[in-house]
Amino acid sequence: MRVIAGIVLMLAAVLNALTGGLYLLGGGVAASGIRTEQVRTEADLDQAVKDGQITTLGAVAGKAQATWTAAAVQVPAQRFFIFGVVLWVMFVLQMVAVILLFVGRGRIVIALVAVLSIATEITGMVLSASLLTVQWSALWKNVPGLAGGLLALIGAMRLRRDPARPAASV
């Protein structure tokens, strides 16, 4: 049971590392691109005022619209970036749990990582469904993480506690 849990959790860890990299890349590129576009829009509005194409009031309204749009899009981009970091941390924790499962030690650490793994997968499902407007039926990719967390939790419960050693006699 521990070996199967370790293999499934290792698969989930590798998928988390790959997905975390994509979240980091996508969130970082989106956040920096949005800010660049906002600065470009503000510069274009300033130039249009200088050329007499629009009034100063129109430029202020345009800058406010650009700022509002950038803020509305930048928050999800930052969430993606932060979630990518969380997935990379989970990759490290899951690999530690895999090693402990194979060795047969550290039941509390394995149980904590299993609960965190399940929580991360559920958070990823909610985040993807709400920000990417993905259909819930397309979230089958989270099954290895949920299964790995559940199997690791069961494997941790089946580990025995180390018996207390008798005190050394002098």
Side-chain angles (χ1 to χ4, degrees), residues 67-132:
T67 302
W68 183 82
T69 303
V73 177
Q74 194 160 6
V75 170
Q78 290 171 347
R79 286 182 186 160
F80 278 142
F81 188 82
I82 291 169
F83 191 64
V85 172
V86 168
L87 286 177
W88 276 10
V89 169
M90 280 308 301
F91 166 73
V92 172
L93 291 175
Q94 286 173 331
M95 292 308 288
V96 168
V98 165
I99 293 169
L100 291 175
L101 275 168
F102 289 151
V103 172
R105 297 262 183 200
R107 63 185 277 197
I108 294 174
V109 174
I110 296 169
L112 287 174
V113 170
V115 169
L116 283 174
S117 179
I118 292 169
T120 303
E121 293 297 332
I122 292 171
T123 303
M125 288 168 38
V126 171
L127 185 69
S128 296
S130 64
L131 295 178
L132 296 177

